[in-house]
Short mmCIF file of all heavy atoms in Angstrom, two decimals:
data_model
loop_
_atom_site.label_atom_id
_atom_site.label_comp_id
_atom_site.label_asym_id
_atom_site.label_seq_id
_atom_site.Cartn_x
_atom_site.Cartn_y
_atom_site.Cartn_z
N VAL A 1 117.90 161.58 59.44
CA VAL A 1 118.03 161.31 58.03
C VAL A 1 119.04 162.29 57.43
O VAL A 1 119.03 163.47 57.74
CB VAL A 1 116.68 161.47 57.28
CG1 VAL A 1 116.86 161.26 55.79
CG2 VAL A 1 115.65 160.48 57.85
N MET A 2 119.95 161.77 56.61
CA MET A 2 120.94 162.63 55.96
C MET A 2 120.18 163.52 54.97
O MET A 2 119.76 163.08 53.92
CB MET A 2 121.99 161.79 55.23
CG MET A 2 123.14 162.62 54.64
SD MET A 2 124.12 163.48 55.89
CE MET A 2 125.06 162.10 56.58
N ALA A 3 120.04 164.80 55.34
CA ALA A 3 119.25 165.73 54.53
C ALA A 3 120.04 166.32 53.37
O ALA A 3 119.49 166.51 52.28
CB ALA A 3 118.71 166.85 55.42
N ALA A 4 121.31 166.63 53.58
CA ALA A 4 122.09 167.30 52.53
C ALA A 4 123.57 167.02 52.70
O ALA A 4 124.11 167.11 53.81
CB ALA A 4 121.83 168.79 52.56
N LEU A 5 124.21 166.68 51.59
CA LEU A 5 125.67 166.55 51.55
C LEU A 5 126.18 167.80 50.87
O LEU A 5 126.01 168.01 49.67
CB LEU A 5 126.08 165.31 50.77
CG LEU A 5 125.53 163.96 51.28
CD1 LEU A 5 126.02 162.83 50.39
CD2 LEU A 5 125.96 163.72 52.73
N VAL A 6 126.82 168.67 51.64
CA VAL A 6 127.23 169.98 51.12
C VAL A 6 128.54 169.90 50.37
O VAL A 6 128.77 170.59 49.38
CB VAL A 6 127.36 170.97 52.32
CG1 VAL A 6 127.82 172.33 51.83
CG2 VAL A 6 126.02 171.09 53.02
N VAL A 7 129.47 169.06 50.83
CA VAL A 7 130.80 168.94 50.23
C VAL A 7 130.88 167.64 49.45
O VAL A 7 130.53 166.56 49.96
CB VAL A 7 131.92 169.00 51.30
CG1 VAL A 7 133.27 168.77 50.68
CG2 VAL A 7 131.87 170.34 52.03
N ALA A 8 131.33 167.74 48.22
CA ALA A 8 131.43 166.56 47.37
C ALA A 8 132.68 165.74 47.69
O ALA A 8 133.65 166.26 48.25
CB ALA A 8 131.46 166.99 45.89
N GLU A 9 132.66 164.46 47.33
CA GLU A 9 133.82 163.60 47.53
C GLU A 9 135.03 164.14 46.77
O GLU A 9 134.90 164.58 45.61
CB GLU A 9 133.50 162.17 47.07
CG GLU A 9 132.46 161.48 47.95
CD GLU A 9 132.21 160.04 47.53
OE1 GLU A 9 132.80 159.63 46.50
OE2 GLU A 9 131.46 159.34 48.22
N GLY A 10 136.18 164.16 47.45
CA GLY A 10 137.38 164.66 46.84
C GLY A 10 137.60 166.16 47.03
O GLY A 10 138.65 166.69 46.68
N GLN A 11 136.59 166.85 47.59
CA GLN A 11 136.66 168.29 47.76
C GLN A 11 137.29 168.61 49.13
O GLN A 11 137.05 167.94 50.12
CB GLN A 11 135.28 168.89 47.67
CG GLN A 11 135.23 170.42 47.78
CD GLN A 11 133.81 170.95 47.61
OE1 GLN A 11 132.93 170.27 47.10
NE2 GLN A 11 133.60 172.20 48.05
N LYS A 12 138.09 169.68 49.15
CA LYS A 12 138.69 170.16 50.41
C LYS A 12 137.72 171.09 51.12
O LYS A 12 136.92 171.77 50.47
CB LYS A 12 140.00 170.87 50.14
CG LYS A 12 141.10 169.97 49.58
CD LYS A 12 142.39 170.75 49.36
CE LYS A 12 143.48 169.82 48.81
NZ LYS A 12 144.77 170.54 48.60
N ALA A 13 137.81 171.14 52.42
CA ALA A 13 136.95 172.01 53.22
C ALA A 13 137.73 172.55 54.40
O ALA A 13 138.53 171.84 55.02
CB ALA A 13 135.74 171.24 53.72
N LEU A 14 137.56 173.86 54.68
CA LEU A 14 138.23 174.47 55.81
C LEU A 14 137.68 173.94 57.13
O LEU A 14 136.53 173.51 57.20
CB LEU A 14 138.04 176.00 55.77
CG LEU A 14 138.67 176.73 54.57
CD1 LEU A 14 138.28 178.20 54.62
CD2 LEU A 14 140.19 176.58 54.59
N VAL A 15 138.54 173.94 58.13
CA VAL A 15 138.11 173.54 59.47
C VAL A 15 136.92 174.42 59.91
O VAL A 15 136.96 175.65 59.77
CB VAL A 15 139.27 173.65 60.48
CG1 VAL A 15 138.74 173.55 61.90
CG2 VAL A 15 140.32 172.60 60.19
N GLY A 16 135.88 173.80 60.38
CA GLY A 16 134.70 174.54 60.83
C GLY A 16 133.66 174.75 59.78
O GLY A 16 132.56 175.19 60.08
N SER A 17 133.99 174.45 58.52
CA SER A 17 132.99 174.66 57.45
C SER A 17 132.01 173.50 57.42
O SER A 17 132.28 172.39 57.87
CB SER A 17 133.69 174.81 56.10
OG SER A 17 134.45 173.66 55.79
N LEU A 18 130.86 173.75 56.83
CA LEU A 18 129.77 172.79 56.82
C LEU A 18 130.03 171.67 55.81
O LEU A 18 130.39 171.92 54.67
CB LEU A 18 128.47 173.51 56.47
CG LEU A 18 127.17 172.72 56.58
CD1 LEU A 18 126.91 172.35 58.03
CD2 LEU A 18 126.00 173.53 56.00
N LEU A 19 129.86 170.44 56.26
CA LEU A 19 130.01 169.28 55.40
C LEU A 19 128.67 168.67 55.01
O LEU A 19 128.48 168.26 53.87
CB LEU A 19 130.87 168.20 56.08
CG LEU A 19 132.29 168.58 56.50
CD1 LEU A 19 132.97 167.39 57.16
CD2 LEU A 19 133.10 169.07 55.30
N ALA A 20 127.79 168.59 55.97
CA ALA A 20 126.49 167.96 55.73
C ALA A 20 125.53 168.34 56.83
O ALA A 20 125.91 168.91 57.86
CB ALA A 20 126.64 166.43 55.65
N VAL A 21 124.25 168.01 56.65
CA VAL A 21 123.22 168.31 57.65
C VAL A 21 122.33 167.08 57.80
O VAL A 21 121.92 166.46 56.81
CB VAL A 21 122.35 169.53 57.26
CG1 VAL A 21 121.29 169.80 58.32
CG2 VAL A 21 123.21 170.76 57.05
N ILE A 22 122.04 166.77 59.06
CA ILE A 22 121.14 165.65 59.37
C ILE A 22 119.81 166.21 59.89
O ILE A 22 119.79 167.06 60.76
CB ILE A 22 121.75 164.73 60.44
CG1 ILE A 22 123.01 164.05 59.89
CG2 ILE A 22 120.75 163.69 60.90
CD1 ILE A 22 123.72 163.20 60.92
N ALA A 23 118.72 165.73 59.32
CA ALA A 23 117.38 166.11 59.79
C ALA A 23 117.02 165.16 60.94
O ALA A 23 117.05 163.95 60.78
CB ALA A 23 116.37 165.98 58.67
N THR A 24 116.74 165.75 62.08
CA THR A 24 116.43 164.93 63.25
C THR A 24 114.96 165.10 63.62
O THR A 24 114.26 165.99 63.14
CB THR A 24 117.30 165.37 64.46
OG1 THR A 24 117.02 166.74 64.75
CG2 THR A 24 118.77 165.20 64.15
N GLY A 25 114.49 164.21 64.48
CA GLY A 25 113.10 164.27 64.95
C GLY A 25 112.12 164.13 63.79
O GLY A 25 112.25 163.28 62.93
N SER A 26 111.13 165.03 63.79
CA SER A 26 110.07 164.94 62.77
C SER A 26 110.33 165.89 61.60
O SER A 26 109.43 166.13 60.77
CB SER A 26 108.72 165.26 63.41
OG SER A 26 108.73 166.57 63.97
N GLU A 27 111.52 166.42 61.50
CA GLU A 27 111.83 167.37 60.43
C GLU A 27 111.73 166.70 59.08
O GLU A 27 112.05 165.51 58.90
CB GLU A 27 113.24 167.92 60.61
CG GLU A 27 113.42 168.85 61.79
CD GLU A 27 114.85 169.33 61.91
OE1 GLU A 27 115.77 168.46 61.94
OE2 GLU A 27 115.08 170.55 61.96
N ASN A 28 111.34 167.49 58.09
CA ASN A 28 111.31 167.03 56.71
C ASN A 28 112.70 167.26 56.10
O ASN A 28 113.15 168.40 56.02
CB ASN A 28 110.24 167.80 55.92
CG ASN A 28 110.07 167.25 54.53
OD1 ASN A 28 111.03 166.84 53.88
ND2 ASN A 28 108.83 167.24 54.05
N PRO A 29 113.38 166.21 55.66
CA PRO A 29 114.72 166.38 55.11
C PRO A 29 114.77 167.36 53.95
O PRO A 29 115.74 168.11 53.80
CB PRO A 29 115.06 164.96 54.65
CG PRO A 29 114.28 164.07 55.55
CD PRO A 29 112.99 164.78 55.77
N ALA A 30 113.72 167.39 53.12
CA ALA A 30 113.70 168.30 52.00
C ALA A 30 113.67 169.76 52.45
O ALA A 30 114.34 170.63 51.88
CB ALA A 30 112.50 168.00 51.11
N ASP A 31 112.90 170.02 53.51
CA ASP A 31 112.85 171.38 54.06
C ASP A 31 114.19 171.79 54.65
O ASP A 31 114.64 172.94 54.51
CB ASP A 31 111.75 171.48 55.13
CG ASP A 31 110.35 171.31 54.54
OD1 ASP A 31 110.21 171.53 53.32
OD2 ASP A 31 109.44 170.95 55.28
N VAL A 32 114.84 170.86 55.32
CA VAL A 32 116.15 171.14 55.92
C VAL A 32 117.16 171.47 54.83
O VAL A 32 117.97 172.40 54.96
CB VAL A 32 116.63 169.95 56.76
CG1 VAL A 32 118.07 170.16 57.22
CG2 VAL A 32 115.72 169.75 57.96
N LYS A 33 117.11 170.74 53.71
CA LYS A 33 118.04 170.97 52.64
C LYS A 33 117.88 172.34 52.03
O LYS A 33 118.86 173.01 51.69
CB LYS A 33 117.86 169.89 51.56
CG LYS A 33 118.88 169.96 50.43
CD LYS A 33 118.73 168.79 49.48
CE LYS A 33 119.80 168.88 48.38
NZ LYS A 33 119.72 167.71 47.46
N LYS A 34 116.62 172.81 51.96
CA LYS A 34 116.36 174.14 51.40
C LYS A 34 116.92 175.22 52.30
O LYS A 34 117.47 176.22 51.87
CB LYS A 34 114.86 174.35 51.21
CG LYS A 34 114.25 173.51 50.08
CD LYS A 34 112.75 173.77 49.99
CE LYS A 34 112.11 172.91 48.87
NZ LYS A 34 110.66 173.13 48.80
N LYS A 35 116.81 175.02 53.63
CA LYS A 35 117.25 176.03 54.57
C LYS A 35 118.76 176.23 54.55
O LYS A 35 119.23 177.33 54.80
CB LYS A 35 116.80 175.63 55.99
CG LYS A 35 115.29 175.72 56.21
CD LYS A 35 114.96 175.33 57.65
CE LYS A 35 113.45 175.37 57.89
NZ LYS A 35 113.11 174.99 59.29
N ILE A 36 119.51 175.19 54.26
CA ILE A 36 120.98 175.32 54.35
C ILE A 36 121.57 175.71 52.99
O ILE A 36 122.78 175.90 52.89
CB ILE A 36 121.63 174.01 54.84
CG1 ILE A 36 121.33 172.86 53.88
CG2 ILE A 36 121.18 173.69 56.24
CD1 ILE A 36 122.41 172.56 52.91
N ALA A 37 120.75 175.85 51.96
CA ALA A 37 121.27 176.14 50.62
C ALA A 37 122.10 177.42 50.58
O ALA A 37 123.13 177.50 49.90
CB ALA A 37 120.13 176.21 49.62
N GLY A 38 121.69 178.45 51.35
CA GLY A 38 122.37 179.71 51.26
C GLY A 38 123.57 179.88 52.16
O GLY A 38 124.29 180.87 52.08
#
């Protein structure tokens, strides 16, 4: 499940930087989104 979209449409991002996170398996997408906030 797509847990978090870190970069907005139209925004530039450096190579290697985080764009988004997918929650896999039995993970809770909301919990995954909280973990990547920082």
Side-chain angles (χ1 to χ4, degrees):
V1 176
M2 186 64 75
L5 302 179
V6 178
V7 176
E9 292 183 355
Q11 183 177 342
K12 294 181 179 180
L14 295 175
V15 167
S17 60
L18 188 65
L19 300 180
V21 180
I22 295 176
T24 61
S26 60
E27 291 179 306
N28 187 322
D31 293 339
V32 172
K33 185 173 182 178
K34 290 179 181 178
K35 290 180 181 180
I36 61 97

